[in-house]
Amino acid sequence: MLGSTTALLTAPLPVVYGLVALAVSGGKKSVQRRWPEAIAAGVLLTIGVWGFSWIPGVELAGVLGSTLVMSFLVVWANRKLFHKLFHKAKRKRTVNLVNTARNSSEKTAHDSAEYGITKVSLWQVIAPYGILTAILLISRLVVPLKILLKSHFVISIAAINLNLPLLYNPGFYLLLTALATVTILGTVVHKLQVITIQAWQQFIPGAIALACFLAASQVMQASGMIASLGMAAATLGDKYIWVAPWLAALGGWITGSSTASNALLSQLQQEVSIQSGLPLEWLMGAQNGASAHATMISPARAIIAATAVGWSGAEVFLLRQMGLVVLGAVAVIMSLLVLALP
């Protein structure tokens, strides 16, 4: 429900981002030539994410929605080719296409060797995504298996309201996929050790930060702070829907993580819902969507992006360029929330 509600509240934004991507990559001429494809891709992505959030589930909504869009773009880009092949184009054209593809492949291999990149076949690149998608689909759609996975190896701690089915959790399937990828790529032991150490080093800071935000949220809940804030916010009545997305965006901007923002503010949104009678699913949809968009201009994300490409001191430039886009996105979410809750 949360996945589909978030998709509805952010429905126009994939179209906007498609047009922005065209403008950044190709300028005004690119937008004038390719705007129909951008709009169609954005609409397809919204519909796909919304539908796939219900069936098979939110874990695969992004993957399947993206696959739908990429398939459309491939067909659209090659529509003339498909039309000619459908009508039995001359063999010479097919041979030329094959030669062109072979030459491109050889050039790619040459470039990879020149830059010291290990050659990996296409199926090796695609296989992990296929494995992860397949096992998630099976675990979500095969009902007897779903029931079995949810009822075995479950961690339950009543004191903190924890009920975690390990074998049904998406993280378990990510682990299986990672192990399968090691086999597919033939990763040697010493490389696996380095990879594990690097992954652990990346995991620890984020895990500690998330645990701290969760702990802070629980402290606020246990001390009565959430209830007090919820009562104060509830005095706004229906007008709170104008505030909720911006509060969520503030959380995303401060923490740099939609997960951390949700951990910190979800209980507040719930308390406001209880006090004011506003539907929780719509408040949480706004919380989820607005916080995720606001992370794009969080200082932490800007620093990581600039550092990753070796662009020292570009943080201010990135924040300035993306600021209006993010503020516009949050305004769209707020407007749709107002329309959804008249």
Side-chain angles (χ1 to χ4, degrees):
M1 181 182 293
L2 178 57
S4 61
T5 304
T6 304
L8 290 175
L9 289 177
T10 58
L13 298 178
V15 173
V16 175
Y17 293 146
L19 295 173
V20 169
L22 283 178
V24 170
S25 61
K28 185 178 179 180
K29 290 184 178 180
S30 182
V31 175
Q32 291 174 341
R33 290 179 53 209
R34 300 296 185 187
W35 66 266
E37 295 98 305
I39 292 176
V43 170
L44 271 179
L45 183 59
T46 296
I47 294 173
V49 171
W50 177 82
F52 291 129
S53 291
W54 289 104
I55 300 174
V58 70
E59 300 93 342
L60 286 167
V63 173
L64 297 179
S66 303
T67 303
L68 182 65
V69 173
M70 288 188 289
S71 300
F72 160 74
L73 292 175
V74 169
V75 172
W76 182 268
N78 295 279
R79 60 192 183 281
K80 293 182 180 179
L81 173 61
F82 290 143
H83 179 75
K84 289 184 178 181
L85 290 177
F86 182 77
H87 291 283
K88 298 180 180 180
K90 294 180 180 180
R91 182 175 179 81
K92 181 179 179 180
R93 176 173 175 79
T94 304
V95 171
N96 289 338
L97 287 172
V98 171
N99 289 335
T100 302
R102 184 181 295 116
N103 293 336
S104 176
S105 176
E106 290 173 355
K107 184 180 183 300
T108 301
H110 176 267
D111 292 344
S112 298
E114 182 179 350
Y115 289 101
I117 301 173
T118 303
K119 184 179 179 181
V120 179
S121 65
L122 180 61
W123 80 268
Q124 288 177 305
V125 175
I126 296 176
Y129 298 98
I131 292 171
L132 179 60
T133 303
I135 57 181
L136 276 172
L137 277 172
I138 293 171
S139 66
R140 269 58 186 168
L141 296 181
V142 180
V143 177
L145 178 61
K146 181 177 180 179
I147 295 172
L148 179 68
L149 295 173
K150 280 189 169 184
S151 58
H152 289 76
F153 296 98
V154 179
I155 297 177
S156 297
I157 304 176
I160 58 174
N161 196 29
L162 175 66
N163 186 54
L164 179 63
L166 291 177
L167 299 183
Y168 189 75
N169 189 279
F172 174 68
Y173 300 101
L174 282 171
L175 177 61
L176 292 181
T177 303
L179 295 176
T181 304
V182 169
T183 303
I184 291 171
L185 297 178
T187 306
V188 295
V189 175
H190 75 275
K191 285 188 178 180
L192 182 59
Q193 292 175 343
V194 173
I195 291 168
T196 304
I197 293 172
Q198 290 176 342
W200 185 257
Q201 290 173 341
Q202 292 175 340
F203 167 77
I204 288 296
I208 293 175
L210 182 57
C212 290
F213 283 120
L214 287 169
S217 178
Q218 293 300 321
V219 169
M220 293 170 67
Q221 176 73 15
S223 65
M225 291 175 62
I226 293 291
S228 298
L229 290 171
M231 291 177 63
T235 59
L236 296 172
D238 293 343
K239 293 184 177 62
Y240 179 74
I241 58 179
W242 296 86
V243 178
W246 297 103
L247 181 62
L250 179 63
W253 177 74
I254 291 173
T255 63
S257 164
S258 59
T259 305
S261 175
N262 289 343
L264 188 62
L265 296 174
S266 290
Q267 290 191 351
L268 175 60
Q269 303 287 13
Q270 182 182 34
E271 189 66 31
V272 174
S273 174
I274 294 172
Q275 298 287 344
S276 65
L278 293 171
L280 179 61
E281 63 269 23
W282 288 104
L283 290 183
M284 282 307 303
Q287 164 68 38
N288 197 40
S291 63
H293 282 79
T295 60
M296 288 193 288
I297 56 171
S298 69
R301 290 284 182 96
I303 291 171
I304 290 173
T307 304
V309 297
W311 193 5
S312 178
E315 296 83 3
V316 175
F317 172 81
L318 292 174
L319 294 176
R320 186 170 60 248
Q321 294 296 315
M322 292 301 300
L324 289 177
V325 176
V326 170
L327 291 176
V330 178
V332 167
I333 294 172
M334 179 194 68
S335 302
L336 292 180
L337 181 64
V338 172
L339 292 174
L341 301 175

